[in-house]
Amino acid sequence: MSHAPQPSEPLSPADAASPGVRPRSQLLNQATTESYRSAVVDGVGRVADRIRRVERAFSGIQPGDLEPEIAAVDLERPLGDATAALDELEEVYLRDAVYFHHPRYLAHLNCPVVIPAVVGEAVLSAVNSSLDTWDQSGGGTFIERRLISWTAGRIGFDGRADGIFTSGGTQSNLQALQMARDEACHRVREESGAPLRNAEILPRLRILASECGHFSIAKSAALLGLGQEAVIAVECDVDMRMNPKALAAELARCDSAGLVPIAVVATAGTTDFGSIDPLPAVADLCERRGVWMHVDAAYGCGLLVSRDRGLLDGIERADSVTVDFHKSFFQPVSSSAVLVRDQAMLRHVTFHADYLNPAHSTERSIPNQVDKSIQTTRRFDALKLWLTLRVMGAEGIGELFDEVISRADEVWHALTADRRFTVVTRPQLSTLVFRYEPRNGASAAEVDRANLYARDLLSTEAGAVVAATVVRGRHYLKFTLLNPETSMSDVLHVLDLIAEYAEKYLADATGWQPAPRCQAGTNPLQVHRVAAEFREGQGTCE
């Protein structure tokens, strides 16, 4: 029987060094479960109360105001009490956190989270399984494997597929490209018939990716010893999708220059535009040329459980796929995975350590997940998705994602009908890139500054959050709709504020005056009605 220290026991030297709190009393074990329960209930209660009372997505506080508060906390003087620490946390974190659940958080790929996943987060943190080896995780190993198998089936892979949970899309892309690199090096050595060293092969290797693809592709190339210059940007069409003709031309150019394309990275849901590359056409070119096809579906993976699953047709032909459940499956960060169509490719990340996963453990069929991962210690992040599926089902998740896709299309119609704004392209998912664009008088540079000013004022004055990006050298704003609770009234109100703030900037900075407005004025509901009239060709302006 294990021995639990009792209050009557003499203090250890470590306990005596901290008179305000006995360190052993803070260990979660059989003797402290009631303290654990009480502290967690208090913490959860405070978060629940804060979420219930939040009226803005962000407080609008500036870095220069918040940093001194946190810098003033004396970490050498513990408070000695969980309640006091939570009181302090209210001031240094909860008060000024960015709340993604708020319907006017419209900025980045941050989703509100579902309750079963948050319950899973609490469970996995307390038990603290490490998913690298079987003897550290037990059933967690098989739950993760089952979810990888389930995801592979949704993608359309057969029984040869496999994969691993990761910390996010960047790590998933890195691991996929590492496997593609090592497979290409192996192929080059076989074709040359000479024992070439990697250092002799790497300068010839290239990665082809959409010019609208994620920056982690260039980062991965740098980390893999190829250099960022090894990434060839393939031009996109007007809808911000990879142009297959441009891809074919770049592949031919690699051939003529004696370069080796190790992978084509297609994107299913670009960060800025939500665009989905033409996966069947890309797959045709990759198969014809014998090049690894990777699909970065970090954002678009929500389509795997959506009524719009057809938008991912062709993904089943990929060699590897990145999915981020913490983007479009409403999971807390982090919850991501990389999958391969052929599990044999995972050998490129397999290393054995005698103390952890010796080679003989494979012979004994011991299921060590570290054999498939570039990480060693890994959280049991799969548990969050497991509980979500067991409570809500895949269709429940898909229903939520379908709602934000529908809302984005509705917003696109409103934007295209509202003469105050220009929008870059119609979304396939739930992201819209647009900007306030007056029809008279202001220069493009002034309009750039007006949009950035509006974004800043929106955060500080109205507590709403939108993102910004650059398109063809000009500054644009961006909505990323991932909250099913965000209504058209929320969005249209934000659009009115953006226009108001931008016009204020132009008037103050340049003396600019707006052109006459459409009859709807700035009332959100009227704007929505007039947008519908314009769609039907019936709209009029004064």
Side-chain angles (χ1 to χ4, degrees), residues 188 200-206 250-261 289:
V188 168
E200 299 173 273
I201 301 172
L202 295 184
R204 297 170 53 200
L205 304 185
R206 295 293 183 270
E250 294 294 352
L251 287 169
R253 193 171 293 119
C254 286
D255 287 343
S256 63
L259 302 174
V260 179
R289 180 62 179 73

Side-chain angles (χ1 to χ4, degrees), residues 492-504:
L492 293 167
H493 179 68
V494 169
L495 287 173
D496 281 340
L497 288 175
I498 290 170
E500 176 186 328
Y501 296 150
E503 289 173 2
K504 178 181 184 301

Side-chain angles (χ1 to χ4, degrees), residues 102-114:
H102 194 280
R104 292 181 186 171
Y105 178 84
L106 306 167
H108 302 288
L109 283 165
N110 306 116
C111 58
V113 294
V114 291

Side-chain angles (χ1 to χ4, degrees), residues 310-388:
L311 291 173
L312 290 182
D313 284 352
I315 195 172
E316 71 283 353
R317 298 168 65 187
D319 294 282
S320 56
V321 176
T322 286
V323 293
D324 265 12
F325 302 113
H326 60 234
K327 286 187 171 65
S328 47
F329 274 64
F330 305 95
Q331 300 294 291
V333 174
S334 59
S335 183
S336 182
V338 60
L339 295 98
V340 290
R341 181 156 47 105
D342 181 357
Q343 61 187 328
M345 295 299 106
L346 290 168
R347 71 182 185 278
H348 294 302
V349 297
T350 302
F351 292 82
H352 292 288
D354 289 338
Y355 78 93
L356 188 68
N357 63 328
H360 65 76
S361 65
T362 303
E363 299 167 6
R364 296 169 54 201
S365 299
I366 295 176
N368 292 323
Q369 293 289 81
V370 73
D371 295 349
K372 307 174 184 181
S373 176
I374 60 176
Q375 285 179 269
T376 303
T377 303
R378 282 188 311 111
R379 302 176 80 240
F380 185 20
D381 285 317
L383 180 61
K384 295 175 286 191
L385 180 59
W386 177 268
L387 284 181
T388 301

Side-chain angles (χ1 to χ4, degrees), residues 286-303:
C286 288
E287 288 176 6
R288 195 176 307 143
R289 180 62 179 73
V291 178
W292 183 292
M293 177 184 174
H294 175 64
V295 176
D296 180 359
Y299 177 13
C301 65
L303 293 171

Side-chain angles (χ1 to χ4, degrees), residues 167-218:
S167 64
T170 294
Q171 183 186 331
S172 293
N173 288 340
L174 173 63
Q175 179 164 336
L177 292 173
Q178 179 199 342
M179 293 184 288
R181 180 202 64 182
D182 291 350
E183 188 66 12
C185 288
H186 172 73
R187 188 175 68 250
V188 168
R189 275 190 286 269
E190 280 195 333
E191 291 173 355
S192 69
L196 297 173
R197 295 176 297 114
N198 277 2
E200 299 173 273
I201 301 172
L202 295 184
R204 297 170 53 200
L205 304 185
R206 295 293 183 270
I207 300 167
L208 291 84
S210 158
E211 62 182 343
C212 296
H214 197 260
F215 73 90
S216 62
I217 305 305

Side-chain angles (χ1 to χ4, degrees), residues 11 32 43 49 156 252 270 288 324 358 367 381 413 432 490 505-506 536:
L11 296 177
T32 59
D49 185 59
T270 58
R288 195 176 307 143
D324 265 12
D381 285 317
H413 280 295
L432 300 104
D490 288 313
Y505 173 86
L506 291 173
E536 297 167 4

Side-chain angles (χ1 to χ4, degrees), residues 15 23 39 43 64 88 99 124 151 194 200 299 309 355 441 456 476 534:
D15 291 336
E88 180 184 78
Y99 287 95
L124 72 92
T151 306
E200 299 173 273
Y299 177 13
R309 171 61 179 80
Y355 78 93
D456 289 342
Y476 280 72
F534 267 91

